[in-house]
Amino acid sequence: MTITRSYITNELFDAFLFCKYKSYLLLNNVDSQGNEYIELTSKLDRRFYFEVQQNLSTTQGNNPEPRYESLQPLNLYTGQDLLFDISIAEDNCHSQIDAVKRIPGKSKLGLFHYEPLIFYREANTDKRSRLSLSYRAFVLGKMQGKMPEYGTIISGSKLTKSRIRLSPYFEDVSQIVSSLLDYIKHQNKPSFFLNHHCDICQFKNHCREEALATDHLSLLRGISETEIIRHNRKGIFTVTQLSYTFRARRKPKRAKPSAPPHSYPLQALALRENKIYIHGNPQLPRARVHMYFDVEGLPTRGFDYLIGLIIDENGSQQHHFFWADSEEQQQEAYIQFLQTLQLYDNYLLFHFGSYDKLALRRMRSHLSDEYQIILDDIQKRTVNLLSIIHPHVYFPTWSNSLKEIAKFLGFEWSDSKASGLQSIVWRENWESTQNPTIKDQLIQYNHDDCLALKRVTKPRLG
């Protein structure tokens, strides 16, 4: 591949924060493939941008109508208090800044300079969002001859304003800019590595095909880039090669009881031989009633809108679901869920992964003291099946996702397109249309997740 771009943009910089290889593919204009989730997030980001712009315009006493035109650097010399959609290009760095705010302090512009603002739809900011803000500030500082000391992130549905001190991030920004310029000038290619961002990336299929073609170690989801480098230094570059390195070792008699760490060589061996391996002594607790629950939510809004529950008692099975039309109805859905569980005493509540456990914790802040006590007792009965599988049970799958394991065991979802990301698309579309068919799709997908969880759990229940 040959680099076809000669400058850095917001898109390239932000891509680097998730995946160096993604920024390299963007530089080469490699064909990408969109999906409904990417289209949805783009639409929601644009909607959020205009919502924040209108809010700021109104509070600043400016024209409240959204302004669509792109403002050039020349507009900075006018000294207006607030400007939107500023485009700046300095020293191979281009940036589009959501808004800039005038601050006292001498610069090339006069006796004032500007600080950047970015609009971030997710409720919780992280280091990536702060680095993204700092890149905009970096380019702005070059243009106005003074690096801003602070910048602001406006985030979430409550339009929370977080003023960030930028100096701790400029060194990282400079290093990333240098790396990207190396890609451009010297045709340097970063190391290839599949990671969690792949699920929402437009290059997902491209990179998946490349990984499968080379039997790349990062096909084993969860393995770190550091561990891959360690294996590469030993001459191990493929999953097949890694599978031959597994050696079962006896645990010392006096060793403290603990779960063994996840073994990627054993995972590779399970794949090569298409067998399930048990490592150590997994223990699954038992109770008279087994329950399986799954929570659907919108993580960027911290909103859990659907709780699915299957109750398995003496061979009979009941299905319940608790739906919230809006965030105002979320508390009532939680209460109905808790009231259903209160009808039982000797039970265990199975879930898969951390999301559902975190949902229970989020639930607590929405409840009265009475229901908080009930919830605290329920949390003692929860069992994260993944925490048992991860160190002990090795399925011949690339990951320990519920989807892959359940499909290996013969379970099929009613909708072949169903996934966590697709459920977010469906929910957002339902909120726009109130289409009952979409609601039915979500309830069925959630029910299928509960059934899949039962399918994975049941073989160990005898």
Side-chain angles (χ1 to χ4, degrees):
M1 290 189 285
T2 303
I3 301 294
T4 58
R5 300 192 191 185
S6 60
Y7 54 87
I8 300 169
T9 63
N10 289 354
E11 182 186 27
L12 282 173
F13 185 90
D14 293 345
F16 188 99
L17 299 178
F18 286 102
C19 174
K20 297 175 184 178
Y21 201 72
K22 178 178 181 177
S23 61
Y24 178 76
L25 295 176
L26 285 170
L27 279 169
N28 283 276
N29 285 326
V30 172
D31 290 339
S32 62
Q33 185 174 7
N35 57 51
E36 286 186 85
Y37 180 80
I38 293 174
E39 292 170 6
L40 172 68
T41 54
S42 296
K43 181 179 73 174
L44 293 177
D45 286 343
R46 289 194 299 272
R47 183 189 301 168
F48 184 72
Y49 173 85
F50 291 123
E51 178 186 352
V52 178
Q53 188 189 59
Q54 186 155 354
N55 176 273
L56 288 175
S57 296
T58 303
T59 57
Q60 292 287 326
N62 296 338
N63 179 4
E65 291 298 318
R67 295 158 65 180
Y68 295 88
E69 73 275 12
S70 178
L71 298 174
Q72 301 305 313
L74 183 63
N75 296 89
L76 296 176
Y77 287 90
T78 64
Q80 293 184 46
D81 290 338
L82 188 67
L83 292 167
F84 296 102
D85 202 16
I86 287 287
S87 296
I88 297 175
E90 289 286 329
D91 299 336
N92 297 103
C93 292
H94 292 202
S95 184
Q96 193 89 6
I97 308 176
D98 293 337
V100 293
K101 179 175 66 174
R102 191 182 69 179
I103 300 293
K106 190 175 179 180
S107 71
K108 288 181 181 178
L109 306 175
L111 297 177
F112 61 90
H113 63 284
Y114 283 93
E115 289 182 357
L117 294 83
I118 63 170
F119 309 155
Y120 190 68
R121 183 168 51 85
E122 296 190 18
N124 298 316
T125 60
D126 55 14
K127 185 177 180 179
R128 287 194 186 99
S129 61
R130 294 189 286 274
L131 282 169
S132 185
L133 171 68
S134 300
Y135 172 71
R136 277 89 171 149
F138 179 80
V139 184
L140 176 62
K142 282 176 172 290
M143 183 270 159
Q144 65 186 5
K146 179 177 176 58
M147 286 292 167
E149 293 183 25
Y150 292 89
T152 300
I153 302 175
I154 301 178
S155 60
S157 58
K158 296 181 181 179
L159 306 187
T160 303
K161 294 181 181 179
S162 304
R163 197 158 185 250
I164 308 297
R165 186 168 171 266
L166 299 171
S167 58
Y169 302 100
F170 281 142
E171 184 176 350
D172 286 344
V173 169
S174 295
Q175 290 176 356
I176 294 170
V177 167
S178 295
S179 295
L180 288 169
L181 289 175
D182 267 352
Y183 298 167
I184 294 170
K185 293 178 181 177
H186 306 297
Q187 305 289 306
N188 288 344
K189 183 178 180 179
S191 58
F192 176 83
F193 178 71
L194 299 181
N195 62 33
H196 293 298
H197 181 68
C198 295
D199 292 335
I200 59 173
C201 179
Q202 67 267 39
F203 299 113
K204 177 181 178 179
N205 292 338
H206 173 93
C207 292
R208 181 76 177 175
E209 290 173 7
E210 184 172 341
L212 288 169
T214 59
D215 197 24
H216 198 270
L217 288 172
S218 64
L219 285 164
L220 299 172
R221 299 305 294 269
I223 192 170
S224 69
E225 195 166 6
T226 301
E227 188 167 357
I228 289 178
I229 292 171
R230 180 169 58 82
H231 286 304
N232 290 167
R233 286 172 179 165
K234 296 177 181 179
I236 300 166
F237 296 92
T238 69
V239 175
T240 302
Q241 289 173 334
L242 184 64
S243 70
Y244 288 99
T245 67
F246 176 74
R247 298 289 183 272
R249 292 180 174 84
R250 289 176 177 262
K251 196 171 184 179
K253 291 183 179 180
R254 295 186 179 181
K256 294 181 180 179
S258 62
H262 186 80
S263 169
Y264 289 103
L266 183 53
Q267 187 79 51
L269 179 61
L271 281 159
R272 178 166 64 86
E273 297 192 346
N274 197 33
K275 293 180 181 178
I276 301 173
Y277 280 91
I278 307 296
H279 186 43
N281 186 26
Q283 298 292 325
L284 194 67
R286 296 173 178 268
R288 186 174 61 84
V289 179
H290 292 134
M291 301 183 182
Y292 310 90
F293 88 109
D294 182 72
V295 179
E296 307 299 337
L298 300 175
T300 59
R301 289 162 54 181
F303 172 33
D304 301 316
Y305 62 86
L306 174 59
I307 307 171
L309 179 67
I310 287 178
I311 300 174
D312 190 358
E313 181 180 20
N314 297 326
S316 66
Q317 181 174 290
Q318 300 176 42
H319 171 228
H320 302 268
F321 67 89
F322 311 92
W323 173 274
D325 281 347
S326 63
E327 293 179 44
E328 289 72 27
Q329 293 184 7
Q330 186 175 226
Q331 181 183 26
E332 182 57 33
Y334 288 156
I335 290 173
Q336 290 174 7
F337 171 66
L338 298 180
Q339 288 174 338
T340 301
L341 297 187
Q342 272 194 291
L343 301 175
Y344 300 85
D345 49 12
N346 185 7
Y347 69 88
L348 289 171
L349 189 62
F350 290 93
H351 64 97
F352 199 93
S354 61
Y355 186 87
D356 309 286
K357 187 77 171 181
L358 292 172
L360 292 180
R361 292 178 188 170
R362 286 193 298 271
M363 191 184 298
R364 200 176 191 281
S365 63
H366 295 271
L367 300 172
S368 64
D369 291 345
E370 174 191 359
Y371 282 106
Q372 285 185 6
I373 294 171
I374 295 170
L375 179 59
D376 290 343
D377 176 66
I378 288 170
Q379 291 195 81
K380 296 174 185 176
R381 302 170 184 266
T382 60
V383 179
N384 180 0
L385 187 61
L386 180 58
S387 68
I388 298 172
I389 289 174
H390 184 72
H392 293 294
V393 186
Y394 292 81
F395 293 91
T397 55
W398 295 114
S399 77
N400 274 334
S401 72
L402 180 62
K403 294 278 186 305
E404 285 199 50
I405 293 173
K407 285 183 177 180
F408 171 77
L409 295 173
F411 184 85
E412 294 292 339
W413 273 255
S414 302
D415 189 325
S416 60
K417 294 194 305 181
S419 68
L421 293 180
Q422 186 62 47
S423 71
I424 294 174
V425 174
W426 284 338
R427 173 67 195 201
E428 293 286 358
N429 288 341
W430 178 83
E431 290 192 359
S432 299
T433 65
Q434 303 289 300
N435 185 335
T437 301
I438 299 176
K439 180 177 178 179
D440 290 342
Q441 281 180 306
L442 283 163
I443 293 170
Q444 182 62 54
Y445 165 65
N446 177 261
H447 184 210
D448 286 345
D449 274 357
C450 293
L451 289 171
L453 174 59
K454 181 184 175 185
R455 179 70 182 88
V456 175
T457 308
K458 191 173 180 181
R460 298 298 300 161
L461 297 177

